[in-house]
Amino acid sequence: MSVTTLDPKTALVVIDLQHSAVAHTGVPHSTADVVDRSVLLADAFRARGLPVVLVNATRARDLADVAPGRTEAPRPTAGAEEGWDEIVDKLAGHPEDIRVTKRNWSAFFGTDLDLHLRRRGVTQIVLTGLATGMGVESTARAAHEHGYHVTLAVDAMADLDAERHRNSVERIFPRLGETGTTAEILDLLPGEPQK
């Protein structure tokens, strides 16, 4: 289903557009395109006085805060470069934005994201970011479980794996909310830009 409406109290939640993530090659959209489309949305939300949430992922140098448990995938290693977890410059620098730092895939787990949104009366979120089948999908699932209306800007997200991106967009997201393009979402934004 395509995006049909946005609530008057909608927030933009941008997942992991940080230096380490945008350094990778995204599919089916380049990480540069994901950043640029997220910037368009963020500017439009800010102009209307709607909340913009910038989420970054980090971990302790000693990896003490990495999720435990056995996985078949390689575990992170220590020694991340300085500034790897900082939000890209094109999005950073707006003091009114809400900043959330996560240590897991979902921006809701172990953070104060839900508290920030509820205090502002937010009933819907628009999601963008990296990676589609990990941070974005995990956050969309949690937002749905928390009772938010979820809209996914599918041209403002990418993954390292084309099949994982496709699976999220075609099979998972329609069960969690509505999908649309950046342009479609911009057309539906409530209110007029503030002077």
Side-chain angles (χ1 to χ4, degrees), residues 42-43 46-47 49-54 87-100 116 120:
D43 288 346
R46 290 180 192 120
L50 295 170
V52 173
V53 182
L54 302 177
I87 298 291
V88 295
D89 293 343
K90 284 186 174 184
L91 280 164
H94 298 272
E96 68 277 8
D97 290 350
I98 301 162
R99 297 293 305 270
V100 173
H116 281 294
R120 290 163 176 81

Side-chain angles (χ1 to χ4, degrees), residues 43-122:
D43 288 346
F45 272 70
R46 290 180 192 120
R48 288 164 176 79
L50 295 170
V52 173
V53 182
L54 302 177
V55 179
N56 72 306
T58 196
R59 64 178 181 265
R61 279 206 175 282
D62 66 358
L63 305 179
D65 54 0
V66 171
R70 294 182 191 96
T71 66
E72 294 178 7
R75 308 287 287 169
T77 58
E81 298 170 12
E82 190 69 31
W84 70 275
D85 55 356
E86 293 176 7
I87 298 291
V88 295
D89 293 343
K90 284 186 174 184
L91 280 164
H94 298 272
E96 68 277 8
D97 290 350
I98 301 162
R99 297 293 305 270
V100 173
T101 297
K102 65 187 178 86
R103 287 168 161 56
N104 294 283
W105 288 0
S106 172
F108 282 93
F109 185 81
T111 73
D112 56 358
L113 175 58
D114 186 51
L115 181 63
H116 281 294
L117 297 175
R118 293 203 188 277
R119 283 185 174 168
R120 290 163 176 81
V122 170

Side-chain angles (χ1 to χ4, degrees), residues 31-54:
T31 56
D33 285 345
V34 170
V35 169
D36 288 345
R37 290 177 184 133
S38 295
V39 167
L40 283 173
L41 287 164
D43 288 346
F45 272 70
R46 290 180 192 120
R48 288 164 176 79
L50 295 170
V52 173
V53 182
L54 302 177

Side-chain angles (χ1 to χ4, degrees), residues 4 12 16 27 36 49 52 78 86 93 107 115 117 122-123 138 182 186:
T4 59
L12 176 68
D16 298 348
V27 291
D36 288 345
V52 173
E86 293 176 7
L115 181 63
L117 297 175
V122 170
T123 57
S138 295
T182 297
L186 289 171

